[in-house]
Amino acid sequence: METWLLIFLSLSLCAIVNLLLNKKHKKQLPPGPPAVPIFGNLLWFRRSFTDLEPLLRDLHARYGPIVTLRIGSRPSIFISDRRLAHKALVEHGAAFADRPAPLPLTRFLTCNQHNITSAPYGSLWRLLRRNLMSETLHSSRVKLFAPARQWVLRILTAKLHAHASEKSGAAVMESFQFAMFCLLVLMCFGEKLDEESIRAIEAALRDLLLYSRQLRIFNFAPVISKHLFRNRWNKAVEMQRRLKEIFLPLIRARLEQKLKKKETEERFVHSYVDSLLDVELPEEGKRKLTEDEINVLCSEFLNAGTDTTSTALQWIMAELVKHQEVQAKLLEEIEKVVDKEAEEVKEEDLQRMPYNKAVVMEGLRRHPPAHFVLPHAVTEEMTIEGYTIPKDAMVNFLVAEIGWDEEVWEDPLEFKPERFLEGGAGEGVDITGTREIKMMPFGVGRRICPGLGLAMLHLEYFVANLVREFEWKSADGKEVDLAEKVEFTVVMKNPLRARVIPRRNSCN
């Protein structure tokens, strides 16, 4: 009897120890600095969240390629290794395709997550993304907007010609942003609006985007904070109302044109709004999108396509000012492909310009507009490299660090487009990361930026035409400053000022 009792107790003890060990192993988060409940990591008492990127470099050097930070009570996991990123985002793509639980502010700004960026991984996200990809970003649709790109190129070159005589240089970023915004507005609403109308949309969107930083307080006890900060809340509501008042006439005009088309078969330019007016939500009784939901999707389309592209364009042109030999080599390629009398570098010409593409790729590798992707979350608890990724954790990937990996790129902080030509480390690089990840400026996996193809086209098209039209030199012989700062994207701390000297006028 005593023997059986001893055996029973021994087995029970083993089972308890095994359970505890398994539980401990199962819940082992990636390593990170000391933390306390509610407040998070102790280092936040002496470091600012704006120092996140240099802080993560230090932590990855100390703890390895996957670390945990606690910003408040929620764990945030950061991955800096390209192989781990591929394992998570491609090999286990579906599991890592969710978004973290939304904060109250996110719900307010996105009409309860009715946009592609914030929607959880599921049927709504698939429907909205499929609509964007098939109806607006499909190659056949993108070709329809070739005249729009020509129109915007004329706007941009005219603005730059107006500054051609300034030896102190032109501040070109504003012109880049306005040109990209003109193009995206036309693609969104199908209308060539005048400059005043475009500026009004641009200002309303940017004001709300910048002001949203002051709204983070409403993530904490929103019922109370709305009363304590009533003026701040009312201003945000007023900003949304202002944007809606601008968008609604444009949306309703497209609806009226669609109805006319059905009656009279009149043809008109396709727009993103046209596709949104046709969307039905099958899981909600096949209802149409509300006007508020269409507003949110239009805002997403304009914000996502403007700042990222104009930021990347500024970085690339800054490098061409800094590296005159690269600019000269690019011009030589352009002049071999494009007839001297041609009005522009056409989109079909770009296919015969490998160096132009290499310049764009190197610009995106060296200066990705976003140094992190938008936060991911796992659909269920996962294990990677022996560490637990909890369902409530935010998971992020260091885009810039992955593109600067010394294991892949020699002198990674140098600007060398030749890397992407035959024999270079970037020859045939898969920017989608499907086979392997060497750089990921558009993200990777299920949540990869749907506008990847459009962004590459716009960058190649505008870089080639701007170099053909103008000689780009530093202002008053000053060195280009490549210091960075974080805004909506990672921009130049000291925006590019460049002397833009017309080439073709001097030839005629």
Side-chain angles (χ1 to χ4, degrees):
M1 186 70 176
E2 290 177 356
T3 302
W4 283 109
L5 181 60
L6 184 62
I7 292 172
F8 174 75
L9 291 173
S10 298
L11 290 173
S12 298
L13 182 61
C14 287
I16 291 170
V17 170
N18 187 54
L19 183 65
L20 290 172
L21 288 173
N22 284 340
K23 185 176 181 181
K24 182 180 178 182
H25 176 71
K26 184 180 179 183
K27 300 297 181 183
Q28 186 180 2
L29 291 173
V36 294
I38 301 177
F39 291 104
N41 295 112
L42 297 174
L43 56 79
W44 299 124
F45 290 104
R46 53 187 173 82
R47 299 287 291 265
S48 168
F49 191 70
T50 56
D51 296 332
L52 181 61
E53 196 168 0
L55 170 64
L56 283 169
R57 289 194 194 104
D58 295 341
L59 294 177
H60 282 297
R62 188 185 314 169
Y63 296 108
I66 177 169
V67 300
T68 301
L69 277 177
R70 287 191 178 273
I71 305 164
S73 58
R74 180 184 291 184
S76 295
I77 294 164
F78 293 88
I79 296 174
S80 64
D81 180 80
R82 61 192 184 89
R83 295 184 184 88
L84 290 184
H86 189 273
K87 184 176 288 187
L89 295 174
V90 179
E91 294 176 28
H92 301 289
F96 279 83
D98 212 356
R99 290 289 188 224
L103 295 166
L105 178 60
T106 302
R107 291 188 181 278
F108 168 70
L109 293 174
T110 63
C111 204
N112 200 26
Q113 296 178 275
H114 275 74
N115 69 350
I116 300 167
T117 302
S118 68
Y121 185 60
S123 57
L124 176 64
W125 172 79
R126 278 189 283 269
L127 175 65
L128 296 177
R129 184 182 173 99
R130 183 169 59 247
N131 173 71
L132 174 63
M133 294 292 291
S134 62
E135 296 298 324
T136 303
L137 299 184
H138 189 274
S139 58
S140 61
R141 293 290 195 186
V142 169
K143 285 179 184 177
L144 295 178
F145 292 104
R149 283 183 281 278
Q150 294 169 342
W151 169 63
V152 167
L153 177 64
R154 288 195 294 272
I155 291 173
L156 177 55
T157 53
K159 285 185 174 295
L160 294 175
H161 272 290
H163 295 285
S165 61
E166 298 176 13
K167 291 186 178 180
S168 60
V172 297
M173 183 58 170
E174 193 276 335
S175 297
F176 291 167
Q177 285 179 319
F178 180 72
M180 293 304 115
F181 199 74
C182 286
L183 181 51
L184 269 292
V185 166
L186 190 148
M187 293 183 71
C188 187
F189 298 109
E191 303 290 344
K192 283 185 180 179
L193 302 180
D194 57 47
E195 182 164 344
E196 183 180 355
S197 299
I198 291 172
R199 294 286 187 191
I201 300 174
E202 186 179 31
L205 272 173
R206 185 163 292 275
D207 288 348
L208 181 58
L209 190 66
L210 294 175
Y211 194 67
S212 64
R213 297 173 184 174
Q214 299 186 43
L215 303 179
R216 292 170 185 166
I217 188 67
F218 299 115
N219 287 327
F220 305 97
V223 175
I224 299 172
S225 55
K226 281 182 187 178
H227 289 287
L228 293 176
F229 301 93
R230 188 180 298 111
N231 290 341
R232 196 179 298 188
W233 178 258
N234 289 342
K235 184 173 180 180
V237 172
E238 172 60 24
M239 284 181 166
Q240 281 204 323
R241 186 192 62 77
R242 173 187 164 204
L243 195 58
K244 186 175 179 178
E245 286 179 350
I246 296 173
F247 281 177
L248 281 185
L250 297 170
I251 293 168
R252 289 171 180 171
R254 296 309 294 185
L255 178 59
E256 186 178 343
Q257 281 186 290
K258 283 178 74 69
L259 295 174
K260 257 187 203 177
K261 184 185 178 187
K262 288 177 182 176
E263 293 170 3
T264 65
E265 296 299 319
E266 292 177 1
R267 298 185 66 187
F268 57 97
V269 176
H270 169 80
S271 75
Y272 182 44
V273 165
D274 295 335
S275 71
L276 295 177
L277 291 169
D278 291 332
V279 168
E280 296 179 344
L281 305 181
E283 294 191 356
E284 299 183 43
K286 290 192 174 182
R287 74 166 176 86
K288 298 282 191 179
L289 292 169
T290 67
E291 288 181 334
D292 284 342
E293 290 164 349
I294 293 176
N295 281 341
V296 164
L297 286 159
C298 289
S299 297
E300 176 185 53
F301 184 83
L302 296 173
N303 282 329
T306 301
D307 272 2
T308 50
T309 306
S310 56
T311 296
L313 184 58
Q314 180 182 215
W315 281 116
I316 292 168
M317 299 314 296
E319 290 285 9
L320 292 179
V321 171
K322 190 176 180 67
H323 298 277
Q324 289 291 311
E325 74 286 357
V326 174
Q327 186 179 162
K329 187 173 179 179
L330 176 54
L331 179 64
E332 183 182 353
E333 177 182 74
I334 293 168
E335 290 178 338
K336 285 180 180 177
V337 172
V338 182
D339 187 86
K340 198 173 184 179
E341 302 303 318
E343 185 179 345
E344 61 165 339
V345 179
K346 296 186 180 297
E347 292 172 23
E348 52 266 32
D349 296 329
L350 301 175
Q351 305 303 317
R352 295 181 288 152
M353 295 184 183
Y355 194 67
N356 183 53
K357 187 178 185 67
V359 166
V360 170
M361 290 287 282
E362 178 68 344
L364 290 169
R365 182 201 67 80
R366 177 62 185 86
H367 303 287
H371 284 200
F372 300 90
V373 297
L374 291 171
H376 286 243
V378 288
T379 53
E380 58 183 1
E381 190 173 281
M382 293 287 295
T383 301
I384 187 168
E385 294 297 289
Y387 297 116
T388 296
I389 311 294
K391 195 173 187 302
D392 65 338
M394 290 192 291
V395 186
N396 215 312
F397 302 83
L398 278 66
V399 171
E401 294 296 317
I402 288 171
W404 301 338
D405 186 350
E406 292 182 348
E407 185 181 291
V408 177
W409 311 101
E410 184 180 353
D411 299 324
L413 298 184
E414 295 297 317
F415 186 78
K416 298 178 179 180
E418 287 73 17
R419 303 177 199 274
F420 292 92
L421 300 180
E422 186 175 354
E427 181 187 3
V429 68
D430 175 18
I431 200 170
T432 69
T434 304
R435 298 189 302 271
E436 67 170 330
I437 295 175
K438 290 185 175 181
M439 56 186 284
M440 48 181 286
F442 299 98
V444 162
R446 306 290 174 102
R447 290 277 186 170
I448 192 171
C449 174
L452 184 158
L454 184 69
M456 289 297 295
L457 170 61
H458 286 174
L459 288 172
E460 290 180 38
Y461 176 77
F462 285 105
V463 167
N465 276 290
L466 289 176
V467 169
R468 180 174 185 254
E469 190 71 22
F470 302 99
E471 181 181 4
W472 291 74
K473 287 184 169 291
S474 56
D476 290 333
K478 293 179 181 176
E479 276 290 316
V480 174
D481 183 0
L482 297 180
E484 303 168 343
K485 72 173 179 178
V486 179
E487 290 184 350
F488 180 63
T489 52
V490 179
V491 300
M492 297 181 71
K493 186 176 181 180
N494 298 301
L496 175 64
R497 293 194 69 87
R499 288 184 63 199
V500 286
I501 305 167
R503 295 186 194 273
R504 296 202 291 162
N505 285 354
S506 61
C507 295
N508 293 339

